[in-house]
Amino acid sequence: MPDRYDVLVIGAGAAGLMCAATAGQRGLRVLLVEHANRPGKKILMSGGGRCNFTNTGTAPECFLSANPHFCKSALARYTPWDFIAMVERHGIAYHEKELGQLFCDVSSKLVVRMLLDECEAAGVELRIGCSVERVVHGDGGRFSLHTSQGRFSASALVVATGGLSIPSMGASGFGYDLARQFSHAVLPTRAGLVPLTLSGRPREQLEGLSGVSLPVAASCNGTTFRNAMLFTHRGISGPAILQISSYWQPGDRLLLDLLPGQDAHAVLEHARAERPAAELRTVLGDLLPRRFAQRLCEGWLSQLQPSRPMRQFTPAQLQEVAGLLAAWPLVASGTEGYRTAEVTLGGVDTDGISSRTMQSLSVPGLYFIGEVLDVTGWLGGYNFQWAWASAHAAGTAVCSD
Ligand SMILES: Cc1cc2nc3c(=O)[nH]c(=O)nc-3n(C[C@H](O)[C@H](O)[C@H](O)COP(=O)(O)OP(=O)(O)OC[C@H]3O[C@@H](n4cnc5c(N)ncnc54)[C@H](O)[C@@H]3O)c2cc1C
């Protein structure tokens, strides 16, 4: 006979820990199983080791999903302020970086410790290094987990197995397989918040710039992010690129405004009036990182002879340079993939899930929460906020029979 619980939660990551604690606090008997050798591995590595645990500017518009309305209910009922209250209750010091992003002052370990303490206080049983071999949905609607540590059954099963990014941290496609087992649709998955790679001519033209960064406004498919861009050995990264990568599909062209917030044409006109003898390449070298400006001149602007003094440029030519600075086109060849991606786009189709409870609409007692669902946040604490909010929605809704 399997050990009996009220709720089984698969995956002790951000969402699984939160859901287990929430359900346990309601007096339910909860088992949380994790196949990795420790819980919350992604929390530990997040935010450069300081966990960007939420964003005070969280809004449904900050999430990508085939159904942009799906995330609204859970986000409204468990807000960043609810999580902040828990963080403060546990005495964890934090600070705000740009744009409402909240980070621990000391270490991400404190967030994992907090969630484990919440689970412990709620009587949650946690099994680490526990591999789920199969899930059986038996007569009477109970779920039975066959694992490397025995058999467990419950009337509610919460799938919190996350996405595919960083397989070395325990990421697996198990949640998607489970969804398919129960006839749930899984939308195509791809890496998000990920560096982009370049190949061919742009790669050659930008060779050797690794480490150079500059502020840009990166646009793709009608969405724009203004932040830093960084050249890497294989392509481009930095927050602006990670953000836009979630909107990029193979073959799409990026447009990069290299003087964000400035009118490039006015800047160049001003330079011509003030420094008529200065060469265009010198002026660009003052506006942009010098080595990058040099590559722009050698490649994209070579036909305009950028070693000429500013006074020799016609208004139409300056307009052409301004056009390039305002919308530098770059075609990425791919992404760095799940090995480095922070998130997985796509996943369990929200059409089959209740947005209020995260429960399957077709299989009573089956829940999906966190990143395994087709809900993906921007960079900046939004993905954890989705994990907390969806987990809280399920944790308050699960029943014992
Ligand atoms: C490097 C990095 C940095 C990040 N930084 C931030 C940040 O600062 N702020 C932010 O908001 N987001 C950040 N993210 C994204 C964030 O970590 C995820 O969106 C979030 O962890 C998703 O929570 P989850 O519980 O759904 O999945 P996860 O946290 O990935 O947890 C899933 C758990 O399920 C376990 N599991 C998987 N398959 C099985 C199985 N078959 N059996 C048992 N257990 C299983 C996994 O081992 C894992 O512990 C970062 C991601 C990465 C990779």
Side-chain angles (χ1 to χ4, degrees):
M1 277 294 281
D3 287 354
R4 291 172 73 89
Y5 293 85
D6 295 320
V7 186
L8 302 171
V9 182
I10 309 179
L17 286 162
M18 182 71 169
C19 180
T22 308
Q25 280 155 14
R26 294 176 46 233
L28 299 176
R29 194 162 172 239
V30 182
L31 174 68
L32 174 57
V33 301
E34 168 60 53
H35 69 168
N37 58 359
R38 62 191 297 183
K41 278 194 167 185
K42 271 194 197 157
I43 302 176
L44 292 175
M45 74 188 300
S46 68
R50 297 219 168 145
C51 186
N52 177 194
F53 56 79
T54 192
N55 192 304
T56 55
T58 297
E61 298 72 53
C62 310
F63 295 84
L64 293 90
S65 173
N67 177 0
H69 303 292
F70 180 81
C71 62
K72 288 181 178 172
S73 170
L75 290 174
R77 284 177 300 123
Y78 191 86
T79 70
W81 306 107
D82 293 315
F83 194 77
I84 292 165
M86 189 195 293
V87 165
E88 291 182 348
R89 217 169 48 241
H90 285 255
I92 300 175
Y94 63 91
H95 60 278
E96 178 170 5
K97 269 201 181 172
E98 57 177 312
L99 310 167
Q101 303 171 6
L102 301 190
F103 286 76
C104 296
D105 283 359
V106 179
S107 167
S108 318
K109 284 183 192 156
L110 298 176
V111 174
V112 176
R113 185 69 264 154
M114 171 184 83
L115 293 166
L116 288 173
D117 286 348
E118 289 278 324
C119 281
E120 200 183 326
V124 173
E125 188 180 325
L126 172 61
R127 283 179 179 260
I128 298 300
C130 181
S131 300
V132 182
E133 282 141 16
R134 74 201 160 94
V135 176
V136 178
H137 194 205
D139 296 340
R142 283 186 82 79
F143 297 90
S144 180
L145 282 196
H146 295 238
T147 79
S148 55
Q149 297 182 13
R151 277 172 60 195
F152 311 102
S153 83
S155 53
L157 174 66
V158 182
V159 183
T161 47
L164 295 168
S165 54
I166 325 275
S168 58
M169 289 286 121
S172 78
F174 185 80
Y176 307 130
D177 296 340
L178 210 51
R180 290 188 195 100
Q181 178 186 331
F182 288 99
S183 302
H184 272 269
V186 177
L187 300 179
T189 53
R190 62 192 166 91
L193 301 180
V194 64
L196 297 175
T197 54
L198 300 172
S199 63
R201 199 155 155 66
R203 172 100 174 245
E204 285 161 24
Q205 287 172 310
L206 299 166
E207 189 80 55
L209 288 184
S210 172
V212 171
S213 76
L214 70 156
V216 298
S219 302
C220 190
N221 292 320
T223 301
T224 300
F225 289 98
R226 188 169 158 181
N227 213 314
M229 171 173 93
L230 171 74
F231 289 99
T232 67
H233 287 294
R234 290 158 48 89
I236 47 176
S237 186
I241 300 304
L242 297 181
Q243 294 278 34
I244 207 68
S245 73
S246 295
Y247 291 82
W248 177 89
Q249 299 270 10
D252 287 345
R253 189 174 68 153
L254 298 179
L255 290 177
L256 299 158
D257 181 347
L258 304 173
L259 296 177
Q262 300 181 65
D263 177 342
H265 190 242
V267 169
L268 291 174
E269 286 287 8
H270 180 74
R272 181 168 56 180
E274 294 293 309
R275 306 161 66 191
E279 295 175 1
L280 173 64
R281 63 182 179 182
T282 310
V283 168
L284 293 183
D286 292 342
L287 292 169
L288 302 167
R290 206 164 294 270
R291 282 161 59 208
F292 172 53
Q294 194 184 332
R295 298 305 175 84
L296 274 185
C297 290
E298 288 164 3
W300 289 264
L301 292 170
S302 60
Q303 78 290 355
L304 287 174
Q305 296 167 304
S307 54
R308 286 183 296 147
M310 291 299 284
R311 76 165 87 79
Q312 287 186 13
F313 282 82
T314 64
Q317 287 174 328
L318 273 199
Q319 192 65 63
E320 199 178 324
V321 178
L324 185 85
L325 294 179
W328 180 46
L330 207 51
V331 177
S333 56
T335 78
E336 292 281 3
Y338 293 118
R339 195 178 48 82
T340 54
E342 282 202 13
V343 287
T344 302
L345 292 148
V348 177
D349 191 348
T350 59
D351 266 3
I353 309 290
S354 157
S355 63
R356 204 178 58 78
T357 62
M358 304 296 135
Q359 186 173 200
S360 161
L361 295 173
S362 50
V363 184
L366 178 65
Y367 296 76
F368 292 89
I369 58 172
E371 201 181 314
V372 73
L373 283 167
D374 170 36
V375 176
T376 308
W378 290 349
L379 186 76
Y382 302 99
N383 284 295
F384 278 137
Q385 188 55 38
W386 170 246
W388 316 137
S390 57
H392 193 264
T396 50
V398 279
C399 304
S400 55
D401 49 48

